[in-house]
Amino acid sequence: MKSVWRQPLFILGFGIISFFLVGSFLFEWIFGSIPKQTFFIEENGRAVEAPPISPYWKHPLGTDEFGYDMFAKIMIGAKYTILGAMAVAALRMFIAVPLGYMIGTYLQRQRSWINGIIDPIHYVPMTIFAVLLLSPVLWMPMEGFTTTVFERVVIQVVIMAVITVPIVASLIGNEANLLYQQEYILAARTLGASRRRIIIRHLVPQMREKMAVLYGQQVVESLIVFAHLGLLKLFLGGTLVSYDPMFADPPKSIAYEWAGLFGNSFRYLQGAPWLPLSPAISFALVILAIAAMIEGYTRATNGQVNIKRRKKMKYVSEEVVEWNQQQLKEKLVLLQSDKNK
């Protein structure tokens, strides 16, 4: 693990993530949770610009249509966006890893048809499933929400994690099965090692690096789905909707998470491009930072954590293991008889 901190790419990515996360908490602690608001810019006693105000030294990323500082909104919402994506990826891995080991060891005979069922899901964007399942939870009805913000966040994290579990579990199962056919695993099975022991003593240590890389990839995928949901007005923690027939406000995000900022400001792409570009560039920076950390981690582990595509391999049946065990017993009996002579 020490060699990871010698990799410039890993340090660069870690620095960017730390800047957003630590900076988000510090910024809110120092300046508060409400961004600074500017109603107009005045020069020589005359108003020269009203919101949305273009970027300048006082507002490096400009302001939104209500005069709130975009840099402050980006910094405040960074922790919700990044930690939300990390939570989705962590829960997804927590569920998929044991399922994958089970598919690759206990369900070898059924692995082909399990993959046959899961493979078509690769071609369906996960955003479609997320929208169908999350719309009733995140879109505020006319009578208001019946759940709390925390409950909606938990439901969103669980749903976004579960919808991708089959794909991740299948990938882990294929990798576990690939290792399960190695000669040293066959030798351990011949000597009587149980599948549980093989998983704990052999598969988990061998796949530890791959799991770390896979977790980073899942964080990136979660961030991308967050951005897609933001464009569709489904924000982290819920979307506040105004049903006023005369002066209805556009849908709003409860927190300043980046998906909400991106979705709310996308309509200003031509008139005030700094509004949607600020969260979009922030998304891109975090995704590039995670990709850099993955690349640095891969180089630090000598490039042996590249996750390959599934290969068709014949599994070693229990009959073969039993035959090997019988042959081993016969050899041991012969050796013992020769010693007695």
Side-chain angles (χ1 to χ4, degrees):
M1 190 64 183
K2 292 182 180 179
S3 60
V4 170
W5 298 105
R6 299 175 184 174
Q7 286 291 332
L9 286 175
F10 186 89
I11 296 174
L12 175 63
F14 184 81
I16 294 174
I17 300 296
S18 300
F19 167 77
F20 280 112
L21 279 180
V22 178
S24 179
F25 285 102
L26 289 178
F27 188 93
E28 186 170 351
W29 179 60
I30 296 172
F31 298 102
S33 59
I34 300 177
K36 183 179 179 180
Q37 189 175 18
T38 302
F39 295 99
F40 55 86
I41 296 179
E42 186 177 349
E43 292 183 1
N44 300 324
R46 184 178 60 180
V48 296
E49 189 174 5
I53 299 173
S54 56
Y56 73 110
W57 67 270
K58 191 176 181 180
H59 299 288
L61 299 180
T63 71
D64 63 8
E65 65 273 26
F66 302 108
Y68 290 106
D69 183 42
M70 283 299 297
F71 178 76
K73 295 173 73 173
I74 290 292
M75 293 306 299
I76 293 172
K79 55 183 174 294
Y80 302 110
T81 307
I82 299 174
L83 292 179
M86 288 181 175
V88 171
L91 181 60
R92 187 178 296 165
M93 295 294 292
F94 180 78
I95 300 173
V97 168
L99 290 177
Y101 284 137
M102 184 178 298
I103 292 173
T105 55
Y106 288 91
L107 303 177
Q108 292 186 82
R109 292 181 181 273
Q110 295 81 13
R111 191 171 61 88
S112 58
W113 65 262
I114 291 175
N115 287 327
I117 295 174
I118 295 175
D119 281 347
I121 304 178
H122 288 83
Y123 304 100
V124 182
M126 290 298 103
T127 304
I128 296 177
F129 293 115
V131 170
L132 293 175
L133 295 173
L134 291 174
S135 293
V137 178
L138 300 181
W139 189 263
M140 188 182 78
M142 293 188 65
E143 61 275 12
F145 286 116
T146 58
T147 55
T148 64
V149 176
F150 178 76
E151 290 173 341
R152 291 192 294 274
V153 170
V154 171
I155 293 173
Q156 181 175 358
V157 169
V158 170
I159 289 177
M160 289 183 62
V162 170
I163 58 178
T164 321
V165 162
I167 296 175
V168 180
S170 174
L171 177 61
I172 296 173
N174 294 329
E175 292 295 320
N177 183 258
L178 188 65
L179 290 175
Y180 200 66
Q181 312 307 323
Q182 299 299 315
E183 293 182 358
Y184 70 95
I185 299 291
L186 177 58
R189 293 169 64 188
T190 302
L191 293 172
S194 64
R195 288 188 177 94
R196 180 174 175 274
R197 181 175 177 81
I198 289 173
I199 291 173
I200 296 174
R201 302 289 294 182
H202 297 288
L203 299 187
V204 172
Q206 287 291 326
M207 296 181 63
R208 187 182 294 115
E209 290 81 9
K210 292 184 179 181
M211 294 300 102
V213 172
L214 186 59
Y215 173 75
Q217 293 174 348
Q218 296 307 308
V219 174
V220 171
E221 183 180 359
S222 300
L223 287 170
I224 293 174
V225 175
F226 275 154
H228 292 169
L229 292 176
L231 283 174
L232 299 173
K233 307 297 183 183
L234 294 177
F235 308 139
L236 180 65
T239 304
L240 296 178
V241 183
S242 174
Y243 290 95
D244 190 331
M246 297 294 294
F247 303 101
D249 293 326
K252 297 179 181 179
S253 172
I254 293 176
Y256 294 115
E257 46 92 19
W258 295 346
L261 298 180
F262 184 57
N264 279 334
S265 60
F266 189 75
R267 63 184 184 276
Y268 292 100
L269 184 59
Q270 292 184 340
W274 60 87
L275 294 182
L277 287 180
S278 297
I281 292 174
S282 300
F283 267 119
L285 281 175
V286 171
I287 291 174
L288 288 175
I290 296 173
M293 291 179 67
I294 293 174
E295 180 64 24
Y297 186 82
T298 303
R299 293 183 181 182
T301 52
N302 298 322
Q304 296 183 8
V305 296
N306 294 322
I307 298 178
K308 301 177 182 178
R309 286 189 169 272
R310 169 169 54 93
K311 295 181 179 179
K312 288 187 177 181
M313 292 190 63
K314 296 181 179 180
Y315 67 90
V316 180
S317 65
E318 294 300 322
E319 291 79 7
V320 174
V321 175
E322 292 175 0
W323 183 84
N324 287 342
Q325 290 175 342
Q326 183 63 33
Q327 293 295 315
L328 179 61
K329 291 178 181 178
E330 293 178 0
K331 298 297 182 183
L332 291 175
V333 170
L334 291 174
L335 289 172
Q336 189 66 31
S337 62
D338 290 341
K339 288 183 179 180
N340 294 332
K341 291 180 181 179

